[in-house]
């Protein structure tokens, strides 16, 4: 940290949804470290250029961001928190541009996927994929593009001086993205956790995974997420990424002891507080 200000690495640039998620978790007194890729955010943390990483892991419409699960395992930085961010997507342009003048729309491919219903109604608009929502807004301002709109959030419109032509163009108004907060092992602070992210493998036999899931159920552990990923270069072998929640610490401890008998390459990716709307976890000592 610099003078107590957290350095937070994000994929994308300022005013992206990743920065909005960082603000929601840490507050706005942060130094944003802009990175071109998710891997670059982990490298920034590894090289001491950042104190934290904020990384999207799933979206309620587009689904899981599968490559990011591999980054979790490969870099082995602990997950210390999470943020659920409502995704509100707006169509924005230079001031004075009319909707009838628009020929092209730019945004991140996941954002575009979340707005397919809107663009089905306007087939004359060419949709172009880019690497970041906020970067599209910035490009419109920098290049003074008068026939192009960006799909981004209100932060981007405000920061880059654009006007919003159409609000809330996302297909599902209850759309949200879940972001994970990661840091180094040295920087991680022990908290009274009630959620964990795990990764493990099971044998390729009938009922192997069911045995693990039954142990969770028997110990009143709620499994809120399960994601499988093939183990690179190994036929019929999978990593299972699981998020679990609990009310009693002793039940969580008991469940872990028992599932160790039925798993291989077991990893605790992080133990942290489940996100609750309006609770700023960094202020609670994390």
């Amino acid at each position: 940290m610099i003078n107590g200000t957290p350095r937070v690495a994000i994929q994308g640039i300022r005013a992206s949804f990743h920065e909005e998620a960082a603000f929601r978790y840490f507050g706005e007194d942060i130094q944003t470290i802009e990175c071109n890729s998710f891997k670059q955010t982990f490298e920034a943390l590894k090289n001491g250029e950042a104190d934290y990483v904020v990384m999207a892991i799933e979206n309620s419409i587009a689904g899981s961001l599968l490559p990011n699960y591999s980054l979790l395992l490969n870099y082995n930085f602990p997950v210390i928190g999470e943020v659920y961010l409502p995704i509100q997507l707006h169509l924005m342009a230079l001031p004075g541009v009319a909707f009838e003048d628009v020929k092209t729309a730019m945004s991140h491919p996941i954002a575009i996927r979340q707005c397919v219903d809107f663009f089905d109604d306007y087939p004359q608009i060419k949709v172009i994929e880019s690497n970041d929502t906020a970067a599209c807004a910035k490009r419109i301002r920098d290049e003074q593009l008068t026939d192009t709109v960006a799909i981004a959030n209100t932060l981007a419109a405000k920061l880059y001086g654009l006007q919003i032509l159409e609000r809330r163009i996302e297909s599902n108004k209850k759309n949200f993205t879940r972001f994970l907060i990661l840091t180094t092992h040295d920087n991680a602070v022990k908290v009274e956790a009630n959620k964990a992210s795990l990764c493990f493998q099971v044998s390729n036999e009938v009922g192997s995974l069911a045995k693990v899931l039954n142990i969770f159920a028997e110990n009143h552990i709620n499994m809120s997420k399960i994601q499988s990923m093939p183990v690179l270069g190994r036929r019929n072998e999978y990593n299972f990424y699981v998020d679990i929640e609990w009310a009693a610490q002793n039940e969580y401890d008991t469940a872990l002891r028992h599932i160790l008998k039925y798993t291989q390459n077991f990893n605790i990716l992080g133990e942290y507080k489940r996100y609750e709307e309006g609770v700023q976890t960094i202020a609670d000592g994390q």
Side-chain angles (χ1 to χ4, degrees), residues 46-76:
K46 177 182 175 182
N47 296 331
E49 298 163 1
D51 305 302
Y52 300 94
V53 165
V54 173
M55 180 184 74
I57 197 68
E58 62 181 298
N59 175 264
S60 57
I61 295 178
S64 297
L65 281 72
L66 296 180
N68 289 359
Y69 283 96
S70 297
L71 290 174
L72 289 176
L73 198 58
N74 293 342
Y75 280 86
N76 195 33

Short mmCIF file of all heavy atoms in Angstrom, two decimals, residues 46-76:
data_model
loop_
_atom_site.label_atom_id
_atom_site.label_comp_id
_atom_site.label_asym_id
_atom_site.label_seq_id
_atom_site.Cartn_x
_atom_site.Cartn_y
_atom_site.Cartn_z
N LYS A 46 1.81 -10.60 -8.00
CA LYS A 46 3.00 -11.43 -7.79
C LYS A 46 4.27 -10.58 -7.70
O LYS A 46 5.17 -10.83 -6.89
CB LYS A 46 3.13 -12.44 -8.93
CG LYS A 46 4.37 -13.32 -8.88
CD LYS A 46 4.39 -14.24 -10.09
CE LYS A 46 5.68 -15.05 -10.15
NZ LYS A 46 5.72 -15.92 -11.37
N ASN A 47 4.34 -9.54 -8.53
CA ASN A 47 5.55 -8.70 -8.60
C ASN A 47 5.55 -7.53 -7.61
O ASN A 47 6.43 -6.68 -7.66
CB ASN A 47 5.71 -8.16 -10.02
CG ASN A 47 5.95 -9.27 -11.04
OD1 ASN A 47 6.50 -10.32 -10.71
ND2 ASN A 47 5.50 -9.05 -12.27
N GLY A 48 4.53 -7.47 -6.75
CA GLY A 48 4.47 -6.41 -5.76
C GLY A 48 4.02 -5.06 -6.29
O GLY A 48 4.18 -4.04 -5.62
N GLU A 49 3.44 -5.06 -7.50
CA GLU A 49 2.95 -3.81 -8.08
C GLU A 49 1.52 -3.51 -7.64
O GLU A 49 1.00 -2.42 -7.89
CB GLU A 49 3.01 -3.91 -9.61
CG GLU A 49 4.43 -4.10 -10.14
CD GLU A 49 4.45 -4.59 -11.58
OE1 GLU A 49 3.35 -4.74 -12.16
OE2 GLU A 49 5.54 -4.82 -12.11
N ALA A 50 0.85 -4.47 -7.01
CA ALA A 50 -0.51 -4.31 -6.51
C ALA A 50 -0.62 -5.04 -5.19
O ALA A 50 0.15 -5.97 -4.89
CB ALA A 50 -1.53 -4.85 -7.51
N ASP A 51 -1.59 -4.61 -4.37
CA ASP A 51 -1.85 -5.26 -3.08
C ASP A 51 -3.01 -6.23 -3.17
O ASP A 51 -3.09 -7.18 -2.39
CB ASP A 51 -2.17 -4.20 -2.02
CG ASP A 51 -1.08 -3.15 -1.91
OD1 ASP A 51 0.07 -3.53 -1.64
OD2 ASP A 51 -1.38 -1.95 -2.11
N TYR A 52 -3.91 -5.98 -4.11
CA TYR A 52 -5.10 -6.81 -4.27
C TYR A 52 -5.42 -6.96 -5.75
O TYR A 52 -5.00 -6.15 -6.58
CB TYR A 52 -6.32 -6.17 -3.57
CG TYR A 52 -6.17 -5.97 -2.09
CD1 TYR A 52 -5.71 -4.75 -1.58
CD2 TYR A 52 -6.47 -6.99 -1.18
CE1 TYR A 52 -5.56 -4.55 -0.22
CE2 TYR A 52 -6.33 -6.80 0.18
CZ TYR A 52 -5.88 -5.58 0.66
OH TYR A 52 -5.73 -5.39 2.02
N VAL A 53 -6.20 -8.00 -6.05
CA VAL A 53 -6.77 -8.21 -7.38
C VAL A 53 -8.28 -8.32 -7.23
O VAL A 53 -8.77 -8.98 -6.31
CB VAL A 53 -6.22 -9.50 -8.04
CG1 VAL A 53 -7.08 -9.91 -9.22
CG2 VAL A 53 -4.78 -9.31 -8.47
N VAL A 54 -9.01 -7.65 -8.12
CA VAL A 54 -10.45 -7.83 -8.23
C VAL A 54 -10.71 -8.51 -9.57
O VAL A 54 -10.32 -7.98 -10.61
CB VAL A 54 -11.20 -6.49 -8.15
CG1 VAL A 54 -12.69 -6.69 -8.43
CG2 VAL A 54 -11.02 -5.85 -6.78
N MET A 55 -11.34 -9.70 -9.52
CA MET A 55 -11.49 -10.49 -10.74
C MET A 55 -12.90 -11.05 -10.86
O MET A 55 -13.40 -11.71 -9.95
CB MET A 55 -10.49 -11.65 -10.73
CG MET A 55 -10.56 -12.54 -11.96
SD MET A 55 -9.45 -13.97 -11.86
CE MET A 55 -10.32 -14.99 -10.67
N ALA A 56 -13.54 -10.81 -11.99
CA ALA A 56 -14.85 -11.40 -12.26
C ALA A 56 -14.72 -12.91 -12.38
O ALA A 56 -13.75 -13.42 -12.96
CB ALA A 56 -15.44 -10.82 -13.54
N ILE A 57 -15.70 -13.63 -11.83
CA ILE A 57 -15.65 -15.09 -11.90
C ILE A 57 -16.90 -15.68 -12.52
O ILE A 57 -16.88 -16.77 -13.09
CB ILE A 57 -15.39 -15.70 -10.50
CG1 ILE A 57 -14.92 -17.15 -10.62
CG2 ILE A 57 -16.59 -15.55 -9.60
CD1 ILE A 57 -13.57 -17.34 -11.25
N GLU A 58 -18.05 -14.97 -12.43
CA GLU A 58 -19.26 -15.48 -13.07
C GLU A 58 -20.26 -14.35 -13.27
O GLU A 58 -20.26 -13.36 -12.54
CB GLU A 58 -19.90 -16.59 -12.24
CG GLU A 58 -20.36 -16.16 -10.87
CD GLU A 58 -20.98 -17.29 -10.07
OE1 GLU A 58 -22.00 -17.84 -10.51
OE2 GLU A 58 -20.43 -17.63 -8.99
N ASN A 59 -21.10 -14.52 -14.28
CA ASN A 59 -22.17 -13.59 -14.57
C ASN A 59 -23.48 -14.36 -14.66
O ASN A 59 -23.50 -15.48 -15.17
CB ASN A 59 -21.91 -12.82 -15.87
CG ASN A 59 -23.05 -11.92 -16.27
OD1 ASN A 59 -23.90 -12.30 -17.06
ND2 ASN A 59 -23.10 -10.73 -15.70
N SER A 60 -24.56 -13.75 -14.19
CA SER A 60 -25.83 -14.46 -14.12
C SER A 60 -26.42 -14.76 -15.49
O SER A 60 -27.30 -15.60 -15.63
CB SER A 60 -26.84 -13.66 -13.29
OG SER A 60 -27.01 -12.36 -13.81
N ILE A 61 -25.95 -14.06 -16.54
CA ILE A 61 -26.42 -14.33 -17.90
C ILE A 61 -25.37 -15.10 -18.69
O ILE A 61 -25.64 -16.14 -19.30
CB ILE A 61 -26.77 -13.03 -18.64
CG1 ILE A 61 -27.96 -12.33 -17.96
CG2 ILE A 61 -27.10 -13.30 -20.11
CD1 ILE A 61 -28.33 -11.01 -18.59
N ALA A 62 -24.14 -14.61 -18.69
CA ALA A 62 -23.09 -15.19 -19.52
C ALA A 62 -22.46 -16.43 -18.91
O ALA A 62 -21.77 -17.19 -19.59
CB ALA A 62 -22.01 -14.14 -19.80
N GLY A 63 -22.66 -16.66 -17.61
CA GLY A 63 -22.12 -17.85 -16.96
C GLY A 63 -20.73 -17.64 -16.39
O GLY A 63 -20.29 -16.50 -16.17
N SER A 64 -20.03 -18.74 -16.16
CA SER A 64 -18.71 -18.69 -15.53
C SER A 64 -17.64 -18.23 -16.51
O SER A 64 -17.70 -18.52 -17.71
CB SER A 64 -18.33 -20.07 -14.99
OG SER A 64 -19.21 -20.48 -13.98
N LEU A 65 -16.64 -17.51 -15.99
CA LEU A 65 -15.47 -17.14 -16.78
C LEU A 65 -14.43 -18.23 -16.56
O LEU A 65 -13.59 -18.16 -15.66
CB LEU A 65 -14.94 -15.76 -16.36
CG LEU A 65 -15.70 -14.54 -16.91
CD1 LEU A 65 -17.06 -14.40 -16.23
CD2 LEU A 65 -14.89 -13.27 -16.69
N LEU A 66 -14.49 -19.26 -17.38
CA LEU A 66 -13.74 -20.49 -17.13
C LEU A 66 -12.22 -20.29 -17.03
O LEU A 66 -11.59 -20.88 -16.15
CB LEU A 66 -14.08 -21.53 -18.20
CG LEU A 66 -15.55 -22.00 -18.20
CD1 LEU A 66 -15.77 -23.03 -19.30
CD2 LEU A 66 -15.96 -22.56 -16.86
N PRO A 67 -11.58 -19.48 -17.91
CA PRO A 67 -10.13 -19.33 -17.78
C PRO A 67 -9.68 -18.78 -16.43
O PRO A 67 -8.56 -19.04 -15.98
CB PRO A 67 -9.78 -18.36 -18.92
CG PRO A 67 -10.89 -18.50 -19.90
CD PRO A 67 -12.12 -18.75 -19.07
N ASN A 68 -10.57 -18.05 -15.76
CA ASN A 68 -10.18 -17.45 -14.48
C ASN A 68 -10.08 -18.48 -13.37
O ASN A 68 -9.36 -18.27 -12.39
CB ASN A 68 -11.17 -16.34 -14.10
CG ASN A 68 -11.03 -15.13 -14.99
OD1 ASN A 68 -10.17 -15.09 -15.87
ND2 ASN A 68 -11.85 -14.12 -14.77
N TYR A 69 -10.77 -19.60 -13.51
CA TYR A 69 -10.61 -20.67 -12.53
C TYR A 69 -9.19 -21.25 -12.60
O TYR A 69 -8.60 -21.59 -11.57
CB TYR A 69 -11.65 -21.77 -12.78
CG TYR A 69 -13.02 -21.42 -12.27
CD1 TYR A 69 -13.99 -20.89 -13.12
CD2 TYR A 69 -13.37 -21.60 -10.94
CE1 TYR A 69 -15.25 -20.55 -12.67
CE2 TYR A 69 -14.63 -21.27 -10.47
CZ TYR A 69 -15.57 -20.75 -11.34
OH TYR A 69 -16.81 -20.41 -10.86
N SER A 70 -8.66 -21.35 -13.79
CA SER A 70 -7.29 -21.85 -13.94
C SER A 70 -6.29 -20.90 -13.31
O SER A 70 -5.30 -21.33 -12.69
CB SER A 70 -6.96 -22.05 -15.43
OG SER A 70 -7.80 -23.02 -16.01
N LEU A 71 -6.53 -19.59 -13.42
CA LEU A 71 -5.64 -18.62 -12.79
C LEU A 71 -5.65 -18.78 -11.27
O LEU A 71 -4.60 -18.67 -10.62
CB LEU A 71 -6.06 -17.19 -13.16
CG LEU A 71 -5.82 -16.76 -14.60
CD1 LEU A 71 -6.43 -15.38 -14.85
CD2 LEU A 71 -4.33 -16.73 -14.92
N LEU A 72 -6.83 -19.03 -10.69
CA LEU A 72 -6.91 -19.23 -9.26
C LEU A 72 -6.00 -20.35 -8.80
O LEU A 72 -5.29 -20.23 -7.80
CB LEU A 72 -8.36 -19.57 -8.85
CG LEU A 72 -9.40 -18.45 -8.92
CD1 LEU A 72 -10.78 -19.02 -8.58
CD2 LEU A 72 -9.05 -17.31 -7.98
N LEU A 73 -6.02 -21.45 -9.54
CA LEU A 73 -5.23 -22.63 -9.16
C LEU A 73 -3.75 -22.43 -9.47
O LEU A 73 -2.89 -22.78 -8.66
CB LEU A 73 -5.77 -23.86 -9.89
CG LEU A 73 -5.38 -25.22 -9.32
CD1 LEU A 73 -5.83 -25.36 -7.87
CD2 LEU A 73 -5.97 -26.33 -10.16
N ASN A 74 -3.45 -21.84 -10.62
CA ASN A 74 -2.05 -21.71 -11.03
C ASN A 74 -1.26 -20.73 -10.16
O ASN A 74 -0.08 -20.96 -9.88
CB ASN A 74 -1.98 -21.27 -12.49
CG ASN A 74 -2.50 -22.33 -13.45
OD1 ASN A 74 -2.60 -23.51 -13.09
ND2 ASN A 74 -2.86 -21.94 -14.66
N TYR A 75 -1.89 -19.63 -9.75
CA TYR A 75 -1.17 -18.63 -8.96
C TYR A 75 -1.30 -18.85 -7.45
O TYR A 75 -0.47 -18.36 -6.68
CB TYR A 75 -1.66 -17.22 -9.33
CG TYR A 75 -1.06 -16.70 -10.61
CD1 TYR A 75 -1.64 -17.00 -11.84
CD2 TYR A 75 0.10 -15.91 -10.60
CE1 TYR A 75 -1.09 -16.53 -13.02
CE2 TYR A 75 0.66 -15.44 -11.77
CZ TYR A 75 0.05 -15.75 -12.98
OH TYR A 75 0.61 -15.27 -14.16
N ASN A 76 -2.35 -19.53 -7.04
CA ASN A 76 -2.52 -19.90 -5.63
C ASN A 76 -2.55 -18.71 -4.68
O ASN A 76 -2.09 -18.80 -3.53
CB ASN A 76 -1.42 -20.88 -5.19
CG ASN A 76 -1.75 -21.58 -3.89
OD1 ASN A 76 -2.92 -21.84 -3.60
ND2 ASN A 76 -0.73 -21.85 -3.09
#
